[in-house]
């Protein structure tokens, strides 16, 4: 179950642990396929490469490759496979970003916990960027069949879709993928009988921040024919921020009306609300809890937890690791009496969208005197970004196309990104293809605003400047500063 290349890449200290894992893998009888899945030609399928990824003390075994132009990754559990398969369906990505697989399996993540429990976790990049629906469904079906050809038929299959991926997952719940499944093997357009193959294909759906509407001018003619039937056949759990509940509630209400009209006993979707403004603004603990509750729903055939629930779990903030230097400026000038201060941190990771996740936390920026709407300078990987706006959803302080900083809900880390859609160059590309571990510096520049002396045209006095500087350093509200 282990090949020579993987063994060569593993540190000596971890070999014994991997030998144990290899025996467990052998017990699972994981095959090593030498041909493409049955529905793909050799030209459409690139044999996967198996590689080890260092993760804390363990080595994660990840299988990757390409099927019909879509890249994929499959993470294998180190323990015996429990028969569970989760496929991640990502959201919209602008053209020019490249086909990237987003599969977070680092310590503490939702998928890491599932792997530790014996799940197989997989993800696809889809075969192209932009708005993609039908082809994305094909790529997910291809990935599912690949997993089956390698490991055997899963006991249950869950699709977790985010944003556009949540809309794609909803189409799966309505069994709109069955026409693709039928056409793939028979070439016929007829849809399969309702419920047929349902259990063997998809068991349940977790839709996070689902986008149930898409621009008609951005989709293909084939995709324009797609219409929601409002009759999901399998359990669907929507995990949605309270700022985006409207479209989800509207869909569930239509499902309720359609269910009454056709006298059908199909399950109504559940809505779990996250009391946090944003889009897909959820943390790993919230997603893990939703996955496990969905599993119970699938297993017992009834939603035994709650159909409407507050799914919010408070963010566990990471400890600050920033280093502060009140005298240093990025341009090398002395601080003098200005209120410039500098903090140094690191790049924690880069998201598939190119957003830079730093190690700075909210107390770090408060210590620099920064608050919502404040602007500051940043330096990433030796590249300067002159004007970054600290903002939060719905981002009314920053303008489209400008750099923006915000705090993510997982560990409260500061993100650096560009507001609005951006093509070709991602934020990470612009600053020299930033990667995890790169140094990040932020410089707060708090300009001393003019304080009226009470006389029209009066000048600022030294005492007022001193008072305002002292107030800023103490973190007080300095919108007005009285003598």
């Amino acid at each position: 179950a282990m090949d020579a290349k993987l063994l060569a890449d593993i540190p000596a200290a971890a070999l014994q642990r991997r030998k144990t894992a290899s025996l467990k893998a052998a017990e699972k009888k994981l095959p090593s396929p030498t041909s493409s899945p049955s529905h793909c030609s050799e030209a459409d399928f690139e044999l996967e490469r198996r590689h080890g990824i260092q993760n804390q003390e363990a080595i994660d075994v990840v299988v990757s490759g390409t099927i019909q132009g879509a890249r994929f990754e499959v993470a294998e559990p180190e323990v015996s496979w429990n028969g569970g398969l989760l496929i991640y369906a990502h959201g919209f990505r602008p053209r020019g970003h490249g086909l990237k697989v987003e599969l977070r399996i680092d310590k503490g993540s939702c998928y890491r916990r599932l792997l530790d429990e014996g799940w197989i976790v997989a993800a696809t990049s889809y075969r192209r960027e932009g708005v993609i629906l039908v082809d994305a469904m094909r790529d997910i079906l291809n990935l599912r069949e690949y997993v089956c050809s390698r490991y055997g038929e899963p006991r249950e299959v869950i699709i977790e879709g985010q944003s556009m991926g949540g809309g794609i997952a909803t189409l799966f719940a309505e069994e709109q993928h069955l026409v693709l499944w039928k056409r793939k093997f028979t070439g016929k357009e007829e849809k399969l009988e309702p419920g047929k193959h349902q259990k063997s294909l998809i068991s349940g759906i977790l839709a996070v921040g689902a986008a149930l509407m898409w621009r008609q001018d951005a989709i293909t003619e084939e995709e324009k024919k797609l219409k929601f039937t409002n009759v999901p056949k399998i359990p669907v759990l929507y995990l949605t921020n309270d700022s985006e509940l409207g479209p989800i509630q509207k869909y569930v209400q239509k499902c309720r009306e359609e269910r009454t009209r056709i006298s059908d006993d199909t399950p109504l979707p559940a809505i779990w609300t996250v009391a946090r403004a944003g889009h897909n603004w959820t943390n790993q603990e919230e997603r893990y809890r939703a996955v496990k509750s969905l599993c119970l729903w699938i297993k017992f055939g009834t939603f035994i937890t709650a159909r409407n629930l507050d799914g919010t779990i408070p963010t566990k903030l990471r400890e600050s690791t920033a280093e502060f230097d009140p005298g240093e400026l990025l341009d090398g000038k002395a601080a003098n009496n200005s209120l410039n201060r500098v903090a140094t941190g690191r790049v924690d990771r880069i998201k598939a969208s190119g957003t830079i996740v730093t190690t700075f936390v909210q107390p770090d920026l408060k210590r620099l005197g920064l608050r919502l709407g404040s602007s500051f300078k940043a330096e990433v990987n030796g590249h300067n970004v002159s004007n970054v706006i600290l903002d939060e959803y719905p981002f009314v302080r920053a303008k489209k196309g400008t750099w923006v900083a915000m705090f993510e809900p997982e560990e409260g880390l500061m993100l650096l990104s560009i507001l609005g859609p951006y093509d070709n160059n991602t934020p990470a590309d612009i600053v020299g293809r930033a990667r995890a571990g790169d140094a990040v510096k932020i410089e707060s520049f708090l300009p001393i605003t003019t304080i009226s002396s009470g006389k029209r045209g009066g000048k600022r006095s030294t005492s007022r400047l001193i008072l305002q500087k002292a107030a800023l350093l103490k973190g007080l509200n300095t919108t007005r500063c009285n003598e």
Side-chain angles (χ1 to χ4, degrees):
M2 298 287 293
D3 58 29
K5 183 179 182 302
L6 178 60
L7 285 173
D9 293 338
I10 298 177
L15 283 177
Q16 185 59 43
R17 178 169 185 172
R18 290 310 301 161
K19 286 179 181 178
T20 303
S22 69
L23 293 176
K24 293 179 179 178
E27 291 174 0
K28 291 184 288 182
K29 300 180 180 180
L30 302 184
S32 296
T34 56
S35 60
S36 64
S38 58
H39 64 281
C40 297
S41 67
E42 292 294 337
D44 292 331
F45 181 80
E46 176 187 320
L47 289 179
E48 86 291 343
R49 56 190 182 277
R50 195 173 189 182
H51 55 273
I53 298 178
Q54 185 73 39
N55 178 57
Q56 304 298 327
E57 299 178 354
I59 301 293
D60 296 316
V61 178
V62 178
V63 177
S64 59
T66 304
I67 302 176
Q68 294 185 331
R71 298 178 61 190
F72 71 86
E73 289 186 0
V74 179
E76 298 180 357
E78 189 172 346
V79 298
S80 297
W81 182 34
N82 64 9
L85 168 63
L86 185 144
I87 299 177
Y88 173 69
H90 69 73
F92 171 81
R93 290 179 187 165
R95 299 185 185 278
H97 282 206
L99 300 180
K100 301 176 183 178
V101 181
E102 186 175 2
L103 189 64
R104 279 196 63 189
I105 55 175
D106 51 306
K107 184 178 180 180
S109 66
C110 172
Y111 294 165
R112 159 56 48 200
R113 296 174 70 175
L114 293 177
L115 284 170
D116 292 342
E117 294 172 5
W119 284 70
I120 290 177
V121 183
T124 172
S125 68
Y126 309 146
R127 65 190 66 187
R128 56 183 171 83
E129 302 151 318
V131 179
I132 173 172
L133 303 174
V134 174
D135 281 340
M137 295 172 72
R138 291 189 176 105
D139 294 332
I140 292 171
L141 287 173
N142 287 344
L143 179 54
R144 184 200 179 282
E145 187 178 355
Y146 171 80
V147 172
C148 292
S149 70
R150 184 180 181 91
Y151 308 104
E153 190 69 27
R155 170 177 48 81
E156 61 184 0
V157 181
I158 289 176
I159 296 178
E160 181 190 0
Q162 292 197 2
S163 192
M164 180 183 72
I168 294 168
T170 301
L171 293 172
F172 271 102
E174 294 182 352
E175 295 189 341
Q176 298 204 31
H177 60 287
L178 294 184
V179 63
L180 302 177
W181 186 261
K182 179 78 171 179
R183 185 190 310 159
K184 180 165 52 180
F185 292 105
T186 67
K188 298 180 180 180
E189 296 291 335
E190 294 88 358
K191 188 173 181 179
L192 292 181
E193 298 174 5
K196 191 175 182 180
H197 291 301
Q198 172 186 318
K199 184 176 181 180
S200 62
L201 288 182
I202 310 298
S203 310
I205 298 296
L206 172 59
V208 184
L212 301 183
M213 299 177 289
W214 39 80
R215 288 173 45 186
Q216 293 297 303
D217 60 343
I219 58 179
T220 64
E221 291 301 319
E222 184 180 23
E223 290 168 337
K224 289 179 181 179
K225 299 177 182 178
L226 286 175
K227 303 293 182 183
F228 286 119
T229 64
N230 304 309
V231 186
K233 300 293 185 179
I234 56 177
V236 182
L237 197 162
Y238 289 104
L239 187 64
T240 306
N241 294 99
D242 54 9
S243 54
E244 296 186 329
L245 274 176
I248 306 300
Q249 291 174 331
K250 184 176 180 180
Y251 174 79
V252 174
Q253 178 59 31
K254 287 183 177 180
C255 290
R256 184 177 289 106
E257 294 170 358
E258 190 67 15
R259 185 187 188 195
T260 302
R261 186 184 70 83
I262 63 178
S263 300
D264 192 42
D265 60 352
T266 54
L268 281 175
I271 302 178
W272 282 15
T273 304
V274 176
R276 186 184 302 117
H279 178 57
N280 289 331
W281 227 227
T282 58
N283 58 43
Q284 297 292 321
E285 190 66 32
E286 290 162 345
R287 290 169 55 200
Y288 176 76
R289 182 188 182 192
V291 169
K292 299 304 289 184
S293 295
L294 180 61
C295 290
L296 292 176
W297 189 1
I298 295 169
K299 180 177 180 180
F300 294 101
T302 177
F303 201 19
I304 62 173
T305 48
R307 193 163 301 282
N308 294 284
L309 184 75
D310 182 358
T312 312
I313 298 177
T315 300
K316 296 179 181 179
L317 298 179
R318 187 185 292 190
E319 293 287 337
S320 172
T321 58
E323 298 178 358
F324 295 86
D325 187 344
E328 180 188 355
L329 294 183
L330 297 185
D331 57 10
K333 296 180 181 179
N336 294 328
N337 291 326
S338 69
L339 295 176
N340 292 276
R341 286 177 293 173
V342 174
T344 303
R346 295 284 175 184
V347 174
D348 185 75
R349 65 183 184 277
I350 304 296
K351 290 191 170 186
S353 61
T355 295
I356 303 167
V357 185
T358 74
T359 56
F360 293 112
V361 291
Q362 195 163 5
D364 296 334
L365 273 68
K366 286 184 177 180
R367 182 170 171 180
L368 295 177
L370 298 174
R371 58 191 179 195
L372 287 175
S374 297
S375 62
F376 60 91
K377 298 178 182 179
E379 181 184 286
V380 183
N381 197 21
H383 294 72
N384 288 325
V385 180
S386 60
N387 189 34
V388 182
I389 305 297
L390 182 59
D391 207 347
E392 66 180 2
Y393 186 88
F395 305 109
V396 296
R397 300 168 182 85
K399 296 180 180 179
K400 287 187 177 180
T402 61
W403 282 83
V404 62
M406 69 206 84
F407 294 101
E408 50 91 42
E410 294 183 2
E411 295 180 280
L413 300 180
M414 187 188 79
L415 309 180
L416 285 174
S417 190
I418 297 175
L419 188 62
Y422 42 86
D423 294 332
N424 300 320
N425 289 327
T426 69
D429 293 333
I430 293 174
V431 291
R433 295 183 181 274
R435 64 184 69 181
D438 285 347
V440 181
K441 287 186 177 181
I442 55 176
E443 173 192 343
S444 67
F445 179 71
L446 300 176
I448 300 176
T449 56
T450 302
I451 303 173
S452 173
S453 62
K455 297 180 181 179
R456 185 171 297 177
K459 297 181 178 180
R460 296 173 294 179
S461 68
T462 302
S463 61
R464 287 194 177 96
L465 292 178
I466 294 174
L467 284 171
Q468 189 181 30
K469 180 176 180 179
L472 284 170
L473 292 175
K474 291 179 180 179
L476 301 177
N477 185 343
T478 57
T479 305
R480 298 183 62 87
C481 183
N482 300 319
E483 290 186 38

